[in-house]
């Protein structure tokens, strides 16, 4: 099976953005990208993610356990890489993703998520939820070790807090609407 690696390029007249095939990776047809172990194995064998000296952030666009493509969204230095959700979702939409996974590396040898990692995880998971594009995992690779937000309960925690926050806001809106509806009409002079 061919797994395309995509890059974004400016189109004609620098007005349009388009996906362009960067290279193709080959995996066995029976490989299903439905677990962090399989994804980390793919990233280490094809992108050498666990041995990179600088941080790299990749998006993996998925259909029903089928990888639609992969795209690098950031290449940083030894201890950070910056990426914005706008660039992530542009790539995901162009690749036709239903679900997605973010994978990046920590060259320093510790796969535990930083505060910044947790913030990105929460923001992107929430945006994906609102767009109907479910983020399945946020994986950090460091050498042969990895951290999976899904396996460690952070994916569920991020989405549950978002759903509760949205539900609480909806209740406040309803309470405000009821308060307005219950106030007596003021007579105008």
């Amino acid at each position: 099976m061919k797994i395309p690696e995509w890059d974004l390029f400016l189109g004609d007249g620098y007005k349009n953005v388009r996906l362009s095939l960067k290279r193709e990776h080959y995996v066995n047809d029976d490989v299903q990208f439905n677990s962090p172990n399989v994804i980390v194995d793919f990233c280490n064998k094809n992108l050498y993610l666990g041995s990179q000296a600088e941080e790299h952030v990749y998006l993996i666009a998925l259909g029903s356990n089928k990888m639609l493509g992969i795209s690098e969204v950031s290449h940083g230095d030894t201890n950070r890489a910056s990426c914005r959700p706008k660039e992530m979702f542009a790539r995901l939409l162009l690749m036709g993703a239903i679900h997605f996974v973010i994978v990046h590396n920590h060259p320093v040898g510790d796969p535990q998520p930083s505060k910044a990692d947790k913030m990105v995880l929460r923001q992107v998971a929430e945006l994906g939820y609102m767009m109907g594009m479910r983020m399945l995992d946020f994986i950090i690779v460091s050498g042969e070790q990895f951290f999976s937000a899904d396996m460690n309960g952070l994916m569920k925690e991020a989405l549950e807090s978002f759903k509760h926050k949205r539900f609480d806001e909806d209740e406040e809106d309803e309470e405000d609407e009821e308060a307005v509806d219950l106030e007596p009409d003021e007579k105008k002079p």
Side-chain angles (χ1 to χ4, degrees):
M1 166 173 46
K2 293 181 190 178
I3 304 295
E5 185 175 343
W6 300 100
D7 229 340
L8 282 182
F9 288 93
L10 291 173
D12 299 331
Y14 300 100
K15 293 179 182 176
N16 301 316
V17 175
R18 63 180 172 79
L19 277 179
S20 184
L21 185 63
K22 186 175 183 178
R23 73 181 124 228
E24 291 179 318
H25 304 280
Y26 295 89
V27 296
N28 291 336
D29 287 339
D30 61 342
V31 173
Q32 298 229 342
F33 293 91
N34 57 4
S35 78
N37 292 324
V38 173
I39 292 170
V40 169
D41 186 53
F42 170 84
C43 289
N44 280 339
K45 285 181 180 173
N46 292 279
L47 307 171
Y48 311 104
L49 194 58
S51 58
Q52 294 284 348
E54 298 169 321
E55 280 202 24
H56 294 261
V57 180
Y58 289 93
L59 279 174
I60 297 176
L62 298 165
S64 299
N65 291 333
K66 177 185 175 198
M67 189 186 289
L68 302 173
I70 187 165
S71 182
E72 183 178 17
V73 290
S74 184
H75 178 170
D77 57 27
T78 56
N79 66 349
R80 74 173 158 245
S82 63
C83 47
R84 293 183 290 188
K86 179 174 129 178
E87 283 80 21
M88 290 181 183
F89 284 100
R91 286 169 171 83
L92 290 168
L93 289 167
L94 289 169
M95 286 189 276
I98 297 170
H99 310 292
F100 66 98
V101 174
I102 296 176
V103 184
H104 79 284
N105 66 319
H106 280 183
V108 295
D110 182 8
Q112 292 302 309
S114 66
K115 285 183 183 179
D117 288 332
K118 290 177 182 177
M119 183 180 75
V120 168
L121 180 154
R122 190 175 59 253
Q123 288 176 342
V124 176
E126 289 175 3
L127 287 169
Y129 180 81
M130 289 189 289
M131 294 179 69
M133 220 183 283
R134 187 166 162 233
M135 182 168 138
L136 299 177
D137 209 344
F138 184 91
I139 300 171
I140 303 169
V141 178
S142 190
E144 293 299 315
Q145 301 175 46
F146 71 90
F147 174 89
S148 162
D150 185 49
M151 288 174 60
N152 286 280
L154 291 182
M155 291 303 305
K156 184 177 179 181
E157 184 181 305
L159 287 175
E160 286 300 315
S161 83
F162 173 68
K163 289 176 185 177
H164 288 299
K165 182 172 68 173
R166 295 294 307 156
F167 183 71
D168 292 344
E169 286 175 5
D170 289 345
E171 279 185 350
E172 287 174 16
D173 291 345
E174 288 175 13
E175 288 172 12
D176 290 344
E177 289 173 10
E178 289 177 14
V180 170
D181 292 339
L182 296 176
E183 289 182 284
D185 290 340
E186 292 182 24
K187 294 183 179 180
K188 295 184 181 179

